């Protein structure tokens, strides 16, 4: 017991007191990283900063563990549990990494602007780079549906989860207001989740748990009136999963009294209702208290502007086209990873994380190649006398050239580690690769596996402790 406590204290203190770091080196190349999401954070964790002067520019000075955002939205987890300051990662690197909280507006030379509420005398500047890692992510896709931006709550950023939590509790408190009509109570307590992907499904499950675990004790007179509806335009929820897991999710939701409306499109979101096009093409206006939008991504304006500069190479409207080494086509010094890219893989945290780790290895190889090329130039410039000495230098030149020629980064290959999702009632499902096939499972045991898998993915002991003890 005492040994475990001592070990925990040691690890905590080590996290809080990183050692001294080497300063920026003018002889090293500069690598600028735009973003602090899954791809950028994975890259920073794996990158050897002995090779580069590294600058991180992001509107957020923290990494957000988005997989647990639905848990924060309903209050199951505290928001501090799923954020990790970017400085935590960079302060544990061998060389100092500059972290700048700002919004990038151009990337020819990276121009960025202070996006905080408090600004100083200087709030915009630019920086040159040798390599740019473009990992800005994506923003919410509204499909230009009227009212989505004005009246729906998104589920992508920390402030979205906080806004949903406030909105949900406001609906409950307003429904409990004296004299409220039964029709208005029903409207206020109807929660509509748009998007049948993992985010929408997990959020619906978390809402159900909050209803069962807390609201029945806090608001016994209202708990039985809360209604959750999940809307999906495609024929089924979770279309990327096996039919077995889709059926399991749908049956679990049916037991939990969560309504699933498939083949149903949102035509408009109003302040007090959502307008739906039903499977038979009829239009139905459904009263509701809260609409949560979890229905897709699109590129940021800066991404669209960057692609517009290279119209011959950047033709995919979904995002930036990259080669096998994640280098942006048409731009030799720009790499792109994460949701802002258009690849064969789904825009998931797992893909972005693997891309970041891969790119860290590529940048290390490029730094090694630079060192060898400098060494080669030095050898070739030597003015030596004597046949024996010339032969020795020529041999070194040949060996160095051979080493340079062997530095060829292998193409990025995504290794799917499986998919997990929580569906409420302490049940989860897993779709895991096994040999040449997949293993699909669901239930309470899978929920425990889901929880342990997410705990192991968190970046720090502090986050693991906060999530595990909630």
């Amino acid at each position: 017991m005492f040994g475990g406590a001592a070990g925990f204290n040691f690890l905590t203190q080590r996290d809080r007191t990183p050692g001294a770091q080497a300063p920026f080196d003018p002889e090293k190349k500069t690598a600028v990283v735009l973003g602090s999401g899954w791809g950028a954070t994975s890259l920073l964790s794996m990158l050897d900063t002995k090779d580069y002067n590294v600058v991180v520019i992001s509107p957020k000075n923290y990494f957000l563990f988005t997989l647990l955002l639905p848990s924060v939205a309903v209050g199951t987890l505290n928001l501090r549990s799923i954020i990790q300051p970017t400085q935590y990662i960079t302060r544990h690197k061998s060389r100092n990494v500059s972290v700048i909280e700002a919004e990038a507006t151009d990337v020819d030379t990276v121009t960025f602007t202070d996006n905080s509420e408090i600004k100083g005398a200087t709030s915009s500047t630019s920086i040159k780079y040798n390599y740019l890692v473009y990992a800005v992510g994506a923003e919410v896709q509204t499909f230009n549906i009227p009212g989505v931006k004005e009246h729906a709550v998104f589920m992508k950023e920390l402030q979205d989860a906080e806004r949903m939590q406030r909105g949900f509790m406001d609906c409950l408190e307003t429904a409990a207001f004296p004299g409220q009509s039964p029709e208005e109570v029903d409207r206020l307590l109807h929660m509509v989740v748009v998007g049948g992907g993992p985010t929408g499904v997990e959020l619906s499950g978390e809402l159900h748990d909050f209803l069962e675990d807390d609201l029945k004790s806090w608001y016994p007179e209202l708990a039985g009136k809360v209604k959750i509806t999940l809307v999906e335009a495609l024929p089924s929820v979770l279309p990327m999963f096996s039919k077995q897991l889709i059926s399991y999710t749908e049956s679990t939701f049916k037991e939990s009294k969560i309504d699933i409306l498939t083949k149903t499109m949102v035509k408009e979101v109003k302040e007090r209702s959502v307008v739906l096009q039903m499977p038979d093409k009829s239009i139905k206006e459904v009263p509701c208290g809260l609409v949560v939008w979890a229905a897709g991504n699109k590129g940021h304006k800066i991404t669209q502007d960057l692609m517009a500069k290279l119209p011959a190479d950047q033709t995919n409207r979904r995002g930036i086209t990259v080669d096998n080494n994640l280098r942006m086509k048409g731009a030799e010094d720009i790499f792109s990873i994460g949701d802002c890219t258009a690849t064969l893989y789904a825009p998931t945290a797992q893909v972005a994380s693997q891309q970041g780790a891969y790119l860290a290895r590529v940048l290390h190889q490029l730094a090694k190649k630079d060192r060898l090329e400098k060494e080669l130039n030095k050898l070739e410039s030597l003015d030596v006398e004597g046949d024996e000495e010339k032969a020795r230098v020529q041999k070194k030149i040949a060996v160095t050239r051979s080493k340079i020629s062997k530095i060829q980064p292998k193409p990025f290959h995504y290794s799917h580690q499986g998919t997990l999702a929580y569906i409420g009632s302490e049940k989860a499902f897993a779709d895991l690769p096994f040999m040449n096939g997949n293993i699909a499972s669901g239930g309470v045991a899978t929920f425990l596996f889901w929880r342990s898998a997410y705990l192991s993915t968190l970046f720090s002991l502090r986050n693991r402790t906060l999530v595990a003890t909630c």
Side-chain angles (χ1 to χ4, degrees):
M1 176 180 175
F2 291 109
F8 180 83
N9 184 63
F10 169 76
L11 292 173
T12 303
Q13 290 303 314
R14 187 183 65 177
D15 277 357
R16 290 181 177 176
T17 54
Q21 293 178 295
F24 272 38
D25 184 348
E27 298 296 319
K28 300 290 184 182
K29 288 186 175 181
T30 297
V32 174
V33 181
L34 293 187
S36 58
W38 284 94
T41 301
S42 176
L43 168 76
L44 292 170
S45 297
M46 301 296 291
L47 186 64
D48 187 349
T49 55
K50 293 176 183 176
D51 295 332
Y52 298 96
N53 296 315
V54 181
V55 180
V56 181
I57 302 172
S58 174
K60 302 177 295 188
N61 63 355
Y62 58 85
F63 164 73
L64 175 64
F65 194 86
T66 51
L67 302 179
L68 289 174
L69 201 58
S71 299
V72 173
V74 300
T76 304
L77 292 177
N78 185 285
L79 61 90
R80 292 178 62 248
S81 303
I82 65 167
I83 61 173
Q84 183 66 60
T86 303
Q87 290 279 12
Y88 167 83
I89 296 165
T90 60
R91 278 292 287 119
H92 288 80
K93 308 305 289 185
S94 59
R95 187 183 304 283
N96 179 44
V97 176
S98 178
V99 179
I100 304 169
E101 185 180 26
E103 185 85 42
T105 57
D106 193 30
V107 299
D108 287 337
T109 57
V110 177
T111 303
F112 51 96
T113 303
D114 185 354
N115 65 332
S116 61
E117 294 181 4
I118 300 175
K119 293 180 173 61
T122 301
S123 60
S124 182
T125 188
S126 60
I127 185 174
K128 294 182 179 179
Y129 58 83
N130 299 102
Y131 295 117
L132 175 68
V133 179
Y134 193 83
V136 301
E139 61 182 49
V140 176
Q141 173 66 275
T142 65
F143 304 100
N144 296 317
I145 296 172
V148 174
K149 287 184 178 179
E150 295 80 5
H151 304 302
V153 177
F154 298 151
M155 193 48 54
K156 192 168 184 64
E157 302 292 347
L158 200 58
Q159 59 267 27
D160 298 331
E162 294 176 306
R163 183 185 171 197
M164 184 197 149
Q165 193 178 93
R166 289 194 305 270
F168 186 42
M169 293 308 299
D170 281 350
C171 285
L172 290 168
E173 295 291 354
T174 304
F177 195 83
Q180 208 70 270
S181 69
E183 293 79 15
E184 186 66 355
V185 169
D186 288 342
R187 180 190 74 80
L188 288 164
L189 298 183
H190 184 197
M191 308 298 157
V192 177
V193 179
V194 181
T199 300
V201 166
E202 289 195 336
L203 182 62
S204 300
E206 292 279 8
L207 277 169
H208 169 264
D209 285 1
F210 185 55
L211 171 65
E212 292 295 317
D213 298 341
D214 297 311
L215 292 187
K216 283 188 175 180
S217 298
W218 301 349
Y219 300 89
E221 72 283 4
L222 297 177
K225 300 177 181 179
V226 175
K227 181 181 178 182
I228 303 168
T229 300
L230 178 62
V231 177
E232 171 54 51
L234 295 176
S236 72
V237 297
L238 303 170
M240 67 290 293
F241 296 105
S242 65
K243 291 182 179 180
Q244 178 185 354
L245 290 178
I246 292 172
S247 298
Y248 179 75
T249 301
E250 290 175 344
S251 64
T252 300
F253 274 17
K254 187 175 182 179
E255 291 174 9
S256 302
K257 297 181 180 179
I258 298 173
D259 291 336
I260 299 178
L261 301 180
T262 55
K263 300 181 182 178
T264 303
M265 298 178 63
V266 176
K267 305 302 288 184
E268 184 179 357
V269 179
K270 298 183 178 181
E271 185 177 3
R272 293 169 174 262
S273 63
V274 58
V275 180
L276 303 177
Q277 178 180 292
M278 308 307 289
D280 61 1
K281 306 301 181 182
S282 64
I283 302 298
K284 182 178 181 181
E285 185 167 345
V286 180
C288 57
L290 188 68
V291 176
V292 184
W293 192 266
N297 298 324
K298 69 174 183 177
H300 290 290
K301 182 180 182 301
I302 185 175
T303 303
Q304 296 167 7
D305 292 345
L306 174 58
M307 293 171 63
K309 294 179 181 180
L310 301 165
D313 296 286
Q314 297 298 320
T315 57
N316 194 322
R317 296 178 63 184
R318 291 194 300 113
I320 292 173
T321 303
V322 295
D323 64 15
N324 291 334
N325 299 130
L326 304 181
R327 196 187 300 264
M328 181 178 181
K329 288 191 174 180
E332 283 295 309
D333 53 358
I334 300 177
F335 295 89
S336 185
I337 57 177
D339 292 359
C340 57
T341 62
T343 65
L344 298 173
Y345 313 111
T348 65
Q350 189 178 162
V351 171
S353 183
Q354 289 188 29
Q355 287 177 333
Y358 165 83
L359 187 52
R361 296 192 294 271
V362 170
L363 289 172
H364 178 68
Q365 288 178 298
L366 292 177
K368 183 179 179 181
K369 186 175 182 179
D370 286 342
R371 289 194 297 269
L372 289 170
E373 287 176 344
K374 286 181 179 179
E375 184 180 330
L376 179 62
N377 291 335
K378 187 176 179 181
L379 288 169
E380 290 178 334
S381 65
L382 288 177
D383 186 13
V384 294
E385 297 181 357
D387 293 341
E388 188 175 330
E389 185 65 16
K390 286 182 179 179
R392 187 181 66 82
V393 172
Q394 287 301 317
K395 184 177 180 181
K396 283 188 176 181
I397 290 174
V399 170
T400 305
R401 284 177 176 169
S402 176
K403 288 180 179 178
I404 292 172
S405 66
K406 290 178 180 177
I407 298 177
Q408 298 291 338
K410 294 180 180 179
F412 171 73
H413 174 71
Y414 170 61
S415 175
H416 186 57
Q417 302 300 306
T419 307
L420 300 167
Y422 182 60
I423 56 176
S425 304
E426 293 193 344
K427 294 179 182 178
F429 68 74
D431 193 359
L432 305 174
F434 181 73
M435 298 181 71
N436 294 324
N438 281 41
I439 295 178
S441 67
V444 176
T446 308
F447 161 71
L448 296 174
F449 176 71
W450 167 83
R451 189 171 178 83
S452 63
Y454 277 18
L455 280 173
S456 66
T457 311
L458 289 163
F459 276 94
S460 73
L461 179 63
R462 167 186 167 275
N463 288 112
R464 293 189 191 103
T465 303
L466 288 171
V467 171
T469 55
C470 283

